Amino acid sequence: MPYTLRVNGKTVTVDVPSEMPLLWVLRDVLNLKGTKYGCGVGQCRACTVHLGGTAVPSCLTTVSAAAAAPITTIEGLSADGTHPVQIAWQEIDVPQCGYCQAGQMMTAASLLTSKPRPTVAEIDSAMSANLCRCGTYLRIRQAVQRAAALGPKSTTTEGQGQPGKGAE
């Protein structure tokens, strides 16, 4: 069935089954490889994207449910790498293996949109669903604090939509 999606500020039409997870639409149909497959059951959140500005696990979100709101992937967070979260992740040197980091960054960006100056407890609570096998949680917290200090930037991607930019 055809679905019209708004992904990273661009309108695209995909012809896929209604129950196909958004993760596979993004990765396999739209070739946006920054969104990672981790567990497939919503436990690790490596696949986190924004749906209408809210961080959601794309492995549990069907394409039919996603068609109702704008979708932002790590590639759409910022076309030029200037989102405060992207800058902070680089400055703090957060990733070790890096596999979970796109999901971590998307959750952090969503948090900072709703709470521009979160407390440590709010950061820990918001990030608690995102797993990092390498254990970089302290650097993740530091990067969220740094991103908050850098100031807000909207995660709206109208006009950006640069496929292929972001976490590979």
Side-chain angles (χ1 to χ4, degrees):
M1 175 171 193
Y3 290 94
T4 300
L5 306 174
R6 185 90 179 145
V7 180
N8 297 336
K10 292 189 176 194
T11 301
V12 296
T13 301
V14 296
D15 191 4
V16 298
S18 63
E19 296 304 309
M20 179 179 263
L22 179 59
L23 171 65
W24 301 125
V25 173
L26 296 170
R27 288 186 59 81
D28 296 345
V29 178
L30 299 177
N31 202 34
L32 294 169
K33 304 293 187 185
T35 304
K36 301 300 182 194
Y37 172 77
C39 66
V41 294
Q43 296 295 308
C44 73
R45 303 296 168 115
C47 67
T48 300
V49 298
H50 294 175
L51 184 60
T54 301
V56 299
S58 63
C59 70
L60 297 180
T61 305
T62 62
V63 67
S64 57
I71 301 159
T72 304
T73 69
I74 190 72
E75 293 91 347
L77 196 57
S78 163
D80 58 3
T82 59
H83 189 282
V85 169
Q86 293 169 313
I87 293 168
W89 248 249
Q90 289 180 3
E91 286 182 6
I92 304 296
D93 195 23
V94 174
Q96 188 166 326
C97 84
Y99 199 82
C100 69
Q101 295 306 309
Q104 300 276 1
M105 293 170 74
M106 295 305 289
T107 299
S110 180
L111 167 66
L112 294 173
T113 297
S114 64
K115 293 188 178 286
R117 300 284 184 253
T119 65
V120 168
E122 289 169 330
I123 293 169
D124 291 348
S125 176
M127 303 303 294
S128 67
N130 291 73
L131 301 180
C132 174
R133 291 179 59 131
C134 300
T136 64
Y137 298 111
L138 294 177
R139 291 195 311 254
I140 291 167
R141 182 192 301 144
Q142 290 171 338
V144 175
Q145 290 172 314
R146 176 68 180 134
L150 288 170
K153 180 170 181 170
S154 171
T155 59
T156 302
T157 55
E158 291 301 314
Q160 290 179 4
Q162 298 290 322
K165 295 204 176 180
E168 290 290 327

